[in-house]
Amino acid sequence: MLESVLALGGLVLLRDCVEWEGRSLLKALIKKSVLCGEQVHVLGCEVSEQEFREGFDSDINSRLIYHDLFRDPLNCWLLLHLPCTTLCQTLHALSHQDSCPGGEPPVGQVRVLGLLHEELHGPGPMGALSSLAQTEVTLGGMLGQTSAHILYRRPQQCPSHQTQWFSILPDFSLDLQGGPPLESELHPDPHTSLPVDPTTHLTFNLRLSKKEKEARDSLTLPFQFSSEKQQALLCSRPNQATGHIFYEPDAYDDLDQEDPDDDLDI
C-alpha cells in the first residue's frame, strides 16, 4: 500500500478527520521514503519537532531534515498563514520540479506529502488542494478498523480507486487487513447512528386494522354533501314545516333596488 501511494510522485494528499487521524500514516510514508534512500524534508507546521520525531528510531531521525515553520501552537496551520492561492501555487511548483521548462536539466522527482484536516477548512480550499493531488488518500473506517480510500490520477488516464484496510504498528509499519466481516453489517455497532422509527415509542397506534379501515371508508362525514342529503333538502315532504327568513333593513343600509350592486367597486 505504501509503495502504491508513493508511486506517482507529485502531491500526495492525506485527508483525515477527528475520528480517523492521519499523522500516523504520514509518518509511515515518511519512514518508507527514508528507507528507499530519498532525502526527506519535514516542514513542521502543526506539532513541535520533538513530538514529530517520537516513534522514529535514531537511524530514521538522523536522515530527516526538519524545518520549524511556525512556533505558535495555537495558530499552526499553513492555510491560516498563507492565502489558499499562494499555497496552491507553491505546492504545484514543488511537485512539478521534475519537469523544468526551458530545456534545463530536471532536479529529480519531487514528492510532496500533505496532511489536510477536513473539519478545519471550507469546501473552497478543500477542492483546490484536492484538484492538485496526483494521489489522494481519504481516511475512514468501520467498527474500529481504519480504511484508506485511495484515488490515483495518472496523466492521460481515467482516475482509479482503491480501498485498503490497515492498522499502523508502533514502529510506523503497516499491517494490512481485510475489511469488516459481512456479518458485521447484520449486527451494526450500537454507537453508530441508525434511522429511528418515530412511531416506536408512541402511546397511541397510528396503524389501522382491516376492520377499522372498512369502518373508516364507510363513514359519511357531516360536511359531505351526499345525493341523499341533497334530495332531502330540495324535496319538501307533506306536513313538513318550512322555514322563512325575515330581514329588517338597518337604518344605515343603503339599498337601491335598481342597482343592488352599487356598493361594489365594479
Side-chain angles (χ1 to χ4, degrees):
M1 171 183 163
L2 296 179
E3 292 84 351
S4 64
V5 170
L6 298 173
L8 294 183
L11 174 60
V12 179
L13 190 63
L14 309 180
R15 300 174 58 166
D16 72 352
C17 57
V18 173
E19 293 83 2
W20 308 99
E21 61 89 16
R23 191 179 302 133
S24 298
L25 180 58
L26 174 65
K27 296 175 77 169
L29 292 168
I30 290 175
K31 177 183 176 181
K32 181 66 177 179
S33 299
V34 171
L35 294 179
C36 290
E38 299 178 0
Q39 187 180 42
V40 178
H41 292 257
V42 179
L43 306 182
C45 307
E46 186 174 13
V47 296
S48 65
E49 179 178 358
Q50 179 182 0
E51 183 178 351
F52 187 85
R53 290 182 180 272
E54 289 179 356
F56 290 133
D57 57 34
S58 58
D59 182 55
I60 298 294
N61 274 322
S62 64
R63 298 162 67 180
L64 291 181
I65 304 173
Y66 193 92
H67 305 271
D68 190 0
L69 295 189
F70 307 121
R71 297 181 179 274
D72 182 3
L74 299 179
N75 195 18
C76 53
W77 294 285
L78 268 176
L79 283 173
L80 296 180
H81 288 267
L82 296 175
C84 183
T85 53
T86 303
L87 179 59
C88 290
Q89 292 170 357
T90 303
L91 290 175
H92 182 271
L94 284 173
S95 58
H96 289 77
Q97 287 190 25
D98 55 336
S99 57
C100 297
E104 299 180 3
V107 177
Q109 187 183 50
V110 176
R111 183 185 300 110
V112 180
L113 303 179
L115 178 59
L116 182 62
H117 305 306
E118 294 195 348
E119 288 89 352
L120 301 178
H121 309 292
M126 293 285 294
L129 292 172
S130 176
S131 65
L132 291 175
Q134 279 71 42
T135 305
E136 192 171 358
V137 182
T138 303
L139 296 176
M142 180 185 297
L143 302 178
Q145 289 185 259
T146 305
S147 68
H149 181 74
I150 309 172
L151 171 63
Y152 302 98
R153 295 187 179 95
R154 294 177 173 85
Q156 300 179 351
Q157 294 184 22
C158 293
S160 58
H161 302 263
Q162 181 184 22
T163 300
Q164 294 281 1
W165 296 85
F166 66 96
S167 62
I168 298 179
L169 303 179
D171 63 345
F172 298 112
S173 58
L174 253 64
D175 178 21
L176 293 180
Q177 304 169 347
L182 294 178
E183 56 266 24
S184 66
E185 299 180 1
L186 302 177
H187 304 281
D189 188 349
H191 300 290
T192 303
S193 59
L194 296 175
V196 178
D197 185 1
T199 65
T200 302
H201 303 291
L202 293 179
T203 58
F204 52 89
N205 186 16
L206 291 178
R207 297 178 176 85
L208 300 178
S209 63
K210 183 178 179 180
K211 291 183 178 181
E212 291 172 335
K213 290 182 180 179
E214 293 176 353
R216 181 196 61 184
D217 296 338
S218 62
L219 179 64
T220 301
L221 298 178
F223 54 81
Q224 290 179 326
F225 198 72
S226 61
S227 58
E228 292 82 1
K229 184 180 294 186
Q230 183 180 15
Q231 292 297 327
L233 293 175
L234 294 179
C235 300
S236 59
R237 299 175 184 177
N239 302 324
Q240 182 179 14
T242 58
H244 299 278
I245 299 176
F246 296 94
Y247 174 70
E248 183 177 351
D250 190 72
Y252 297 98
D253 286 347
D254 184 14
L255 299 178
D256 187 351
Q257 297 298 332
E258 296 182 358
D259 187 9
D261 298 329
D262 63 342
D263 58 330
L264 301 180
D265 186 10
I266 301 177

mmCIF file of all heavy atoms in Angstrom, residues 2-3 6 23-42 52-61 63-64 111 113 168-174:
data_model
loop_
_atom_site.group_PDB
_atom_site.id
_atom_site.type_symbol
_atom_site.label_atom_id
_atom_site.label_comp_id
_atom_site.label_asym_id
_atom_site.label_seq_id
_atom_site.Cartn_x
_atom_site.Cartn_y
_atom_site.Cartn_z
ATOM 1 N N LEU A 2 1.915 1.284 0.843
ATOM 2 C CA LEU A 2 2.772 2.469 0.899
ATOM 3 C C LEU A 2 3.453 2.702 -0.440
ATOM 4 O O LEU A 2 3.586 3.848 -0.893
ATOM 5 C CB LEU A 2 3.808 2.307 2.012
ATOM 6 C CG LEU A 2 3.256 2.219 3.439
ATOM 7 C CD1 LEU A 2 4.398 2.036 4.435
ATOM 8 C CD2 LEU A 2 2.447 3.459 3.791
ATOM 9 N N GLU A 3 3.888 1.624 -1.090
ATOM 10 C CA GLU A 3 4.544 1.773 -2.392
ATOM 11 C C GLU A 3 3.594 2.345 -3.431
ATOM 12 O O GLU A 3 3.977 3.221 -4.226
ATOM 13 C CB GLU A 3 5.083 0.413 -2.871
ATOM 14 C CG GLU A 3 6.234 -0.134 -2.055
ATOM 15 C CD GLU A 3 5.756 -0.890 -0.823
ATOM 16 O OE1 GLU A 3 4.543 -0.841 -0.506
ATOM 17 O OE2 GLU A 3 6.600 -1.526 -0.160
ATOM 18 N N LEU A 6 3.011 6.124 -2.906
ATOM 19 C CA LEU A 6 4.162 6.958 -3.266
ATOM 20 C C LEU A 6 4.583 6.818 -4.716
ATOM 21 O O LEU A 6 5.486 7.527 -5.159
ATOM 22 C CB LEU A 6 5.355 6.589 -2.362
ATOM 23 C CG LEU A 6 5.160 6.825 -0.855
ATOM 24 C CD1 LEU A 6 6.347 6.267 -0.088
ATOM 25 C CD2 LEU A 6 4.991 8.311 -0.554
ATOM 26 N N ARG A 23 -1.841 11.490 10.966
ATOM 27 C CA ARG A 23 -0.425 11.749 11.193
ATOM 28 C C ARG A 23 0.389 10.455 11.249
ATOM 29 O O ARG A 23 1.529 10.407 10.796
ATOM 30 C CB ARG A 23 -0.225 12.559 12.471
ATOM 31 C CG ARG A 23 1.211 13.083 12.631
ATOM 32 C CD ARG A 23 1.383 13.899 13.897
ATOM 33 N NE ARG A 23 0.466 15.016 13.897
ATOM 34 C CZ ARG A 23 -0.291 15.356 14.928
ATOM 35 N NH1 ARG A 23 -0.253 14.646 16.038
ATOM 36 N NH2 ARG A 23 -1.099 16.390 14.853
ATOM 37 N N SER A 24 -0.215 9.379 11.774
ATOM 38 C CA SER A 24 0.498 8.106 11.830
ATOM 39 C C SER A 24 0.782 7.578 10.423
ATOM 40 O O SER A 24 1.872 7.061 10.152
ATOM 41 C CB SER A 24 -0.309 7.078 12.625
ATOM 42 O OG SER A 24 -0.494 7.496 13.960
ATOM 43 N N LEU A 25 -0.193 7.699 9.519
ATOM 44 C CA LEU A 25 0.034 7.260 8.142
ATOM 45 C C LEU A 25 1.063 8.148 7.465
ATOM 46 O O LEU A 25 1.896 7.664 6.685
ATOM 47 C CB LEU A 25 -1.281 7.276 7.357
ATOM 48 C CG LEU A 25 -1.192 6.848 5.897
ATOM 49 C CD1 LEU A 25 -0.624 5.438 5.769
ATOM 50 C CD2 LEU A 25 -2.562 6.937 5.221
ATOM 51 N N LEU A 26 1.045 9.451 7.736
ATOM 52 C CA LEU A 26 2.049 10.352 7.182
ATOM 53 C C LEU A 26 3.451 9.932 7.624
ATOM 54 O O LEU A 26 4.386 9.878 6.819
ATOM 55 C CB LEU A 26 1.754 11.782 7.625
ATOM 56 C CG LEU A 26 2.792 12.841 7.247
ATOM 57 C CD1 LEU A 26 2.876 13.002 5.736
ATOM 58 C CD2 LEU A 26 2.463 14.182 7.908
ATOM 59 N N LYS A 27 3.618 9.601 8.899
ATOM 60 C CA LYS A 27 4.925 9.189 9.411
ATOM 61 C C LYS A 27 5.327 7.836 8.837
ATOM 62 O O LYS A 27 6.524 7.579 8.611
ATOM 63 C CB LYS A 27 4.905 9.167 10.931
ATOM 64 C CG LYS A 27 4.677 10.550 11.543
ATOM 65 C CD LYS A 27 4.530 10.536 13.038
ATOM 66 C CE LYS A 27 5.857 10.380 13.735
ATOM 67 N NZ LYS A 27 5.753 10.617 15.193
ATOM 68 N N ALA A 28 4.357 6.961 8.568
ATOM 69 C CA ALA A 28 4.674 5.687 7.920
ATOM 70 C C ALA A 28 5.183 5.908 6.497
ATOM 71 O O ALA A 28 6.133 5.242 6.046
ATOM 72 C CB ALA A 28 3.438 4.790 7.909
ATOM 73 N N LEU A 29 4.588 6.859 5.777
ATOM 74 C CA LEU A 29 5.051 7.174 4.425
ATOM 75 C C LEU A 29 6.432 7.822 4.459
ATOM 76 O O LEU A 29 7.274 7.562 3.583
ATOM 77 C CB LEU A 29 4.045 8.090 3.735
ATOM 78 C CG LEU A 29 2.678 7.464 3.408
ATOM 79 C CD1 LEU A 29 1.679 8.527 2.997
ATOM 80 C CD2 LEU A 29 2.826 6.423 2.302
ATOM 81 N N ILE A 30 6.679 8.680 5.439
ATOM 82 C CA ILE A 30 7.997 9.302 5.571
ATOM 83 C C ILE A 30 9.057 8.248 5.851
ATOM 84 O O ILE A 30 10.153 8.259 5.266
ATOM 85 C CB ILE A 30 7.958 10.370 6.678
ATOM 86 C CG1 ILE A 30 7.129 11.570 6.214
ATOM 87 C CG2 ILE A 30 9.359 10.807 7.072
ATOM 88 C CD1 ILE A 30 6.936 12.627 7.281
ATOM 89 N N LYS A 31 8.760 7.322 6.740
ATOM 90 C CA LYS A 31 9.706 6.247 7.035
ATOM 91 C C LYS A 31 9.998 5.426 5.782
ATOM 92 O O LYS A 31 11.162 5.076 5.510
ATOM 93 C CB LYS A 31 9.149 5.348 8.138
ATOM 94 C CG LYS A 31 10.038 4.161 8.464
ATOM 95 C CD LYS A 31 9.410 3.253 9.512
ATOM 96 C CE LYS A 31 10.280 2.021 9.750
ATOM 97 N NZ LYS A 31 9.668 1.113 10.765
ATOM 98 N N LYS A 32 8.958 5.122 5.016
ATOM 99 C CA LYS A 32 9.148 4.358 3.777
ATOM 100 C C LYS A 32 10.049 5.116 2.810
ATOM 101 O O LYS A 32 10.936 4.526 2.174
ATOM 102 C CB LYS A 32 7.792 4.077 3.136
ATOM 103 C CG LYS A 32 7.865 3.261 1.864
ATOM 104 C CD LYS A 32 8.357 1.858 2.136
ATOM 105 C CE LYS A 32 8.366 1.019 0.876
ATOM 106 N NZ LYS A 32 8.871 -0.352 1.125
ATOM 107 N N SER A 33 9.867 6.420 2.686
ATOM 108 C CA SER A 33 10.693 7.216 1.781
ATOM 109 C C SER A 33 12.148 7.229 2.234
ATOM 110 O O SER A 33 13.072 7.133 1.415
ATOM 111 C CB SER A 33 10.146 8.648 1.700
ATOM 112 O OG SER A 33 8.830 8.671 1.187
ATOM 113 N N VAL A 34 12.372 7.356 3.547
ATOM 114 C CA VAL A 34 13.745 7.358 4.058
ATOM 115 C C VAL A 34 14.431 6.033 3.793
ATOM 116 O O VAL A 34 15.592 5.975 3.362
ATOM 117 C CB VAL A 34 13.738 7.687 5.570
ATOM 118 C CG1 VAL A 34 15.124 7.476 6.173
ATOM 119 C CG2 VAL A 34 13.288 9.116 5.798
ATOM 120 N N LEU A 35 13.718 4.928 4.006
ATOM 121 C CA LEU A 35 14.304 3.603 3.783
ATOM 122 C C LEU A 35 14.579 3.343 2.303
ATOM 123 O O LEU A 35 15.408 2.488 1.982
ATOM 124 C CB LEU A 35 13.365 2.528 4.340
ATOM 125 C CG LEU A 35 13.184 2.531 5.867
ATOM 126 C CD1 LEU A 35 12.208 1.443 6.293
ATOM 127 C CD2 LEU A 35 14.528 2.354 6.572
ATOM 128 N N CYS A 36 13.897 4.068 1.431
ATOM 129 C CA CYS A 36 14.170 3.939 -0.011
ATOM 130 C C CYS A 36 15.337 4.814 -0.451
ATOM 131 O O CYS A 36 15.643 4.884 -1.647
ATOM 132 C CB CYS A 36 12.925 4.302 -0.801
ATOM 133 S SG CYS A 36 11.575 3.107 -0.656
ATOM 134 N N GLY A 37 15.998 5.503 0.505
ATOM 135 C CA GLY A 37 17.157 6.320 0.179
ATOM 136 C C GLY A 37 16.827 7.722 -0.259
ATOM 137 O O GLY A 37 17.711 8.434 -0.763
ATOM 138 N N GLU A 38 15.588 8.162 -0.084
ATOM 139 C CA GLU A 38 15.212 9.500 -0.511
ATOM 140 C C GLU A 38 15.572 10.524 0.564
ATOM 141 O O GLU A 38 15.610 10.219 1.756
ATOM 142 C CB GLU A 38 13.710 9.558 -0.802
ATOM 143 C CG GLU A 38 13.262 8.617 -1.910
ATOM 144 C CD GLU A 38 11.769 8.657 -2.130
ATOM 145 O OE1 GLU A 38 11.084 9.423 -1.406
ATOM 146 O OE2 GLU A 38 11.268 7.935 -3.013
ATOM 147 N N GLN A 39 15.842 11.743 0.127
ATOM 148 C CA GLN A 39 16.091 12.851 1.052
ATOM 149 C C GLN A 39 14.750 13.450 1.447
ATOM 150 O O GLN A 39 13.965 13.852 0.598
ATOM 151 C CB GLN A 39 16.985 13.907 0.406
ATOM 152 C CG GLN A 39 17.433 15.001 1.360
ATOM 153 C CD GLN A 39 18.312 16.031 0.668
ATOM 154 O OE1 GLN A 39 18.014 16.435 -0.457
ATOM 155 N NE2 GLN A 39 19.376 16.456 1.329
ATOM 156 N N VAL A 40 14.477 13.496 2.748
ATOM 157 C CA VAL A 40 13.169 13.900 3.242
ATOM 158 C C VAL A 40 13.315 15.182 4.057
ATOM 159 O O VAL A 40 14.079 15.237 5.024
ATOM 160 C CB VAL A 40 12.531 12.793 4.102
ATOM 161 C CG1 VAL A 40 11.187 13.257 4.650
ATOM 162 C CG2 VAL A 40 12.361 11.520 3.291
ATOM 163 N N HIS A 41 12.559 16.205 3.650
ATOM 164 C CA HIS A 41 12.467 17.456 4.393
ATOM 165 C C HIS A 41 11.091 17.514 5.028
ATOM 166 O O HIS A 41 10.070 17.307 4.355
ATOM 167 C CB HIS A 41 12.659 18.664 3.469
ATOM 168 C CG HIS A 41 14.039 18.787 2.922
ATOM 169 N ND1 HIS A 41 14.953 19.699 3.401
ATOM 170 C CD2 HIS A 41 14.666 18.104 1.909
ATOM 171 C CE1 HIS A 41 16.078 19.577 2.721
ATOM 172 N NE2 HIS A 41 15.933 18.618 1.803
ATOM 173 N N VAL A 42 11.039 17.810 6.299
ATOM 174 C CA VAL A 42 9.779 17.912 7.035
ATOM 175 C C VAL A 42 9.537 19.382 7.367
ATOM 176 O O VAL A 42 10.365 20.029 8.019
ATOM 177 C CB VAL A 42 9.816 17.082 8.331
ATOM 178 C CG1 VAL A 42 8.491 17.231 9.086
ATOM 179 C CG2 VAL A 42 10.082 15.619 8.012
ATOM 180 N N PHE A 52 7.109 15.379 16.741
ATOM 181 C CA PHE A 52 7.036 14.745 15.433
ATOM 182 C C PHE A 52 8.027 13.588 15.309
ATOM 183 O O PHE A 52 7.737 12.573 14.683
ATOM 184 C CB PHE A 52 7.293 15.768 14.322
ATOM 185 C CG PHE A 52 7.078 15.212 12.939
ATOM 186 C CD1 PHE A 52 5.803 15.201 12.382
ATOM 187 C CD2 PHE A 52 8.128 14.688 12.202
ATOM 188 C CE1 PHE A 52 5.590 14.678 11.119
ATOM 189 C CE2 PHE A 52 7.921 14.165 10.938
ATOM 190 C CZ PHE A 52 6.650 14.158 10.397
ATOM 191 N N ARG A 53 9.197 13.723 15.898
ATOM 192 C CA ARG A 53 10.223 12.686 15.781
ATOM 193 C C ARG A 53 9.962 11.480 16.686
ATOM 194 O O ARG A 53 10.626 10.452 16.554
ATOM 195 C CB ARG A 53 11.599 13.279 16.106
ATOM 196 C CG ARG A 53 12.118 14.262 15.052
ATOM 197 C CD ARG A 53 13.503 14.766 15.432
ATOM 198 N NE ARG A 53 14.044 15.704 14.457
ATOM 199 C CZ ARG A 53 14.759 15.322 13.381
ATOM 200 N NH1 ARG A 53 15.006 14.040 13.171
ATOM 201 N NH2 ARG A 53 15.227 16.226 12.535
ATOM 202 N N GLU A 54 9.015 11.592 17.604
ATOM 203 C CA GLU A 54 8.734 10.479 18.509
ATOM 204 C C GLU A 54 8.266 9.257 17.726
ATOM 205 O O GLU A 54 7.439 9.358 16.833
ATOM 206 C CB GLU A 54 7.663 10.879 19.532
ATOM 207 C CG GLU A 54 8.135 11.865 20.572
ATOM 208 C CD GLU A 54 7.035 12.240 21.548
ATOM 209 O OE1 GLU A 54 5.897 11.767 21.347
ATOM 210 O OE2 GLU A 54 7.304 13.005 22.494
ATOM 211 N N GLY A 55 8.811 8.111 18.083
ATOM 212 C CA GLY A 55 8.444 6.858 17.424
ATOM 213 C C GLY A 55 9.410 6.431 16.346
ATOM 214 O O GLY A 55 9.465 5.238 16.012
ATOM 215 N N PHE A 56 10.168 7.368 15.769
ATOM 216 C CA PHE A 56 11.202 7.007 14.796
ATOM 217 C C PHE A 56 12.462 6.555 15.534
ATOM 218 O O PHE A 56 12.816 7.108 16.581
ATOM 219 C CB PHE A 56 11.551 8.198 13.889
ATOM 220 C CG PHE A 56 10.462 8.565 12.919
ATOM 221 C CD1 PHE A 56 10.074 9.888 12.763
ATOM 222 C CD2 PHE A 56 9.839 7.607 12.139
ATOM 223 C CE1 PHE A 56 9.084 10.243 11.862
ATOM 224 C CE2 PHE A 56 8.844 7.955 11.238
ATOM 225 C CZ PHE A 56 8.465 9.267 11.101
ATOM 226 N N ASP A 57 13.163 5.571 14.983
ATOM 227 C CA ASP A 57 14.439 5.192 15.587
ATOM 228 C C ASP A 57 15.506 6.213 15.207
ATOM 229 O O ASP A 57 15.284 7.113 14.397
ATOM 230 C CB ASP A 57 14.839 3.771 15.187
ATOM 231 C CG ASP A 57 14.926 3.604 13.672
ATOM 232 O OD1 ASP A 57 15.307 4.569 12.972
ATOM 233 O OD2 ASP A 57 14.626 2.505 13.172
ATOM 234 N N SER A 58 16.648 6.084 15.818
ATOM 235 C CA SER A 58 17.713 7.067 15.620
ATOM 236 C C SER A 58 18.181 7.118 14.181
ATOM 237 O O SER A 58 18.557 8.186 13.672
ATOM 238 C CB SER A 58 18.895 6.749 16.548
ATOM 239 O OG SER A 58 19.372 5.427 16.305
ATOM 240 N N ASP A 59 18.155 6.004 13.473
ATOM 241 C CA ASP A 59 18.605 5.991 12.076
ATOM 242 C C ASP A 59 17.672 6.824 11.202
ATOM 243 O O ASP A 59 18.131 7.591 10.349
ATOM 244 C CB ASP A 59 18.682 4.552 11.577
ATOM 245 C CG ASP A 59 19.190 4.465 10.149
ATOM 246 O OD1 ASP A 59 20.290 5.000 9.880
ATOM 247 O OD2 ASP A 59 18.481 3.899 9.292
ATOM 248 N N ILE A 60 16.363 6.687 11.413
ATOM 249 C CA ILE A 60 15.397 7.471 10.629
ATOM 250 C C ILE A 60 15.510 8.942 10.989
ATOM 251 O O ILE A 60 15.563 9.819 10.108
ATOM 252 C CB ILE A 60 13.965 6.962 10.879
ATOM 253 C CG1 ILE A 60 13.817 5.501 10.435
ATOM 254 C CG2 ILE A 60 12.952 7.848 10.158
ATOM 255 C CD1 ILE A 60 13.965 5.281 8.960
ATOM 256 N N ASN A 61 15.591 9.257 12.290
ATOM 257 C CA ASN A 61 15.667 10.661 12.705
ATOM 258 C C ASN A 61 16.922 11.351 12.197
ATOM 259 O O ASN A 61 16.902 12.551 11.884
ATOM 260 C CB ASN A 61 15.614 10.750 14.241
ATOM 261 C CG ASN A 61 14.182 10.771 14.750
ATOM 262 O OD1 ASN A 61 13.298 11.377 14.151
ATOM 263 N ND2 ASN A 61 13.941 10.082 15.858
ATOM 264 N N ARG A 63 18.273 11.034 9.431
ATOM 265 C CA ARG A 63 18.172 11.293 7.991
ATOM 266 C C ARG A 63 17.003 12.215 7.643
ATOM 267 O O ARG A 63 16.738 12.468 6.466
ATOM 268 C CB ARG A 63 18.041 9.960 7.253
ATOM 269 C CG ARG A 63 19.276 9.084 7.459
ATOM 270 C CD ARG A 63 19.034 7.626 7.142
ATOM 271 N NE ARG A 63 18.781 7.398 5.732
ATOM 272 C CZ ARG A 63 18.542 6.179 5.204
ATOM 273 N NH1 ARG A 63 18.531 5.120 6.003
ATOM 274 N NH2 ARG A 63 18.343 6.041 3.923
ATOM 275 N N LEU A 64 16.300 12.704 8.660
ATOM 276 C CA LEU A 64 15.234 13.678 8.432
ATOM 277 C C LEU A 64 15.780 15.090 8.583
ATOM 278 O O LEU A 64 16.492 15.391 9.537
ATOM 279 C CB LEU A 64 14.090 13.471 9.437
ATOM 280 C CG LEU A 64 13.244 12.200 9.314
ATOM 281 C CD1 LEU A 64 12.154 12.200 10.386
ATOM 282 C CD2 LEU A 64 12.628 12.070 7.941
ATOM 283 N N ARG A 111 8.439 14.639 -4.433
ATOM 284 C CA ARG A 111 7.155 14.197 -3.915
ATOM 285 C C ARG A 111 6.807 15.047 -2.697
ATOM 286 O O ARG A 111 7.640 15.260 -1.823
ATOM 287 C CB ARG A 111 7.213 12.725 -3.529
ATOM 288 C CG ARG A 111 5.896 12.167 -3.045
ATOM 289 C CD ARG A 111 6.049 10.727 -2.564
ATOM 290 N NE ARG A 111 6.522 9.865 -3.638
ATOM 291 C CZ ARG A 111 7.738 9.334 -3.667
ATOM 292 N NH1 ARG A 111 8.617 9.605 -2.692
ATOM 293 N NH2 ARG A 111 8.101 8.548 -4.651
ATOM 294 N N LEU A 113 4.185 15.393 0.453
ATOM 295 C CA LEU A 113 3.163 14.762 1.271
ATOM 296 C C LEU A 113 2.478 15.850 2.103
ATOM 297 O O LEU A 113 3.150 16.594 2.819
ATOM 298 C CB LEU A 113 3.776 13.707 2.200
ATOM 299 C CG LEU A 113 4.580 12.585 1.538
ATOM 300 C CD1 LEU A 113 5.147 11.646 2.598
ATOM 301 C CD2 LEU A 113 3.719 11.809 0.557
ATOM 302 N N ILE A 168 -1.671 0.637 11.891
ATOM 303 C CA ILE A 168 -0.293 1.114 11.924
ATOM 304 C C ILE A 168 0.353 0.639 13.225
ATOM 305 O O ILE A 168 -0.176 0.893 14.316
ATOM 306 C CB ILE A 168 -0.233 2.641 11.806
ATOM 307 C CG1 ILE A 168 -0.838 3.068 10.457
ATOM 308 C CG2 ILE A 168 1.200 3.147 11.934
ATOM 309 C CD1 ILE A 168 -0.859 4.556 10.244
ATOM 310 N N LEU A 169 1.464 -0.058 13.099
ATOM 311 C CA LEU A 169 2.171 -0.601 14.256
ATOM 312 C C LEU A 169 2.985 0.495 14.935
ATOM 313 O O LEU A 169 3.215 1.573 14.359
ATOM 314 C CB LEU A 169 3.063 -1.751 13.802
ATOM 315 C CG LEU A 169 2.324 -2.901 13.084
ATOM 316 C CD1 LEU A 169 3.308 -3.981 12.653
ATOM 317 C CD2 LEU A 169 1.228 -3.469 13.959
ATOM 318 N N PRO A 170 3.447 0.256 16.161
ATOM 319 C CA PRO A 170 4.205 1.292 16.886
ATOM 320 C C PRO A 170 5.460 1.781 16.167
ATOM 321 O O PRO A 170 5.883 2.916 16.376
ATOM 322 C CB PRO A 170 4.558 0.595 18.210
ATOM 323 C CG PRO A 170 3.468 -0.415 18.396
ATOM 324 C CD PRO A 170 3.134 -0.902 17.024
ATOM 325 N N ASP A 171 6.060 0.949 15.299
ATOM 326 C CA ASP A 171 7.258 1.384 14.581
ATOM 327 C C ASP A 171 6.912 2.012 13.229
ATOM 328 O O ASP A 171 7.778 2.178 12.376
ATOM 329 C CB ASP A 171 8.215 0.207 14.382
ATOM 330 C CG ASP A 171 7.597 -0.884 13.506
ATOM 331 O OD1 ASP A 171 6.357 -0.864 13.286
ATOM 332 O OD2 ASP A 171 8.343 -1.766 13.040
ATOM 333 N N PHE A 172 5.628 2.362 13.033
ATOM 334 C CA PHE A 172 5.136 3.006 11.805
ATOM 335 C C PHE A 172 5.286 2.125 10.568
ATOM 336 O O PHE A 172 5.519 2.621 9.463
ATOM 337 C CB PHE A 172 5.820 4.364 11.579
ATOM 338 C CG PHE A 172 5.554 5.345 12.669
ATOM 339 C CD1 PHE A 172 6.568 5.750 13.516
ATOM 340 C CD2 PHE A 172 4.287 5.851 12.880
ATOM 341 C CE1 PHE A 172 6.329 6.644 14.554
ATOM 342 C CE2 PHE A 172 4.036 6.742 13.922
ATOM 343 C CZ PHE A 172 5.054 7.128 14.757
ATOM 344 N N SER A 173 5.152 0.846 10.764
ATOM 345 C CA SER A 173 4.974 -0.062 9.635
ATOM 346 C C SER A 173 3.500 -0.432 9.559
ATOM 347 O O SER A 173 2.760 -0.303 10.552
ATOM 348 C CB SER A 173 5.834 -1.315 9.798
ATOM 349 O OG SER A 173 5.509 -1.988 11.009
ATOM 350 N N LEU A 174 3.054 -0.891 8.396
ATOM 351 C CA LEU A 174 1.638 -1.138 8.164
ATOM 352 C C LEU A 174 1.314 -2.624 8.270
ATOM 353 O O LEU A 174 2.089 -3.478 7.831
ATOM 354 C CB LEU A 174 1.220 -0.630 6.775
ATOM 355 C CG LEU A 174 0.369 0.639 6.769
ATOM 356 C CD1 LEU A 174 1.168 1.797 7.344
ATOM 357 C CD2 LEU A 174 -0.089 0.966 5.362
#
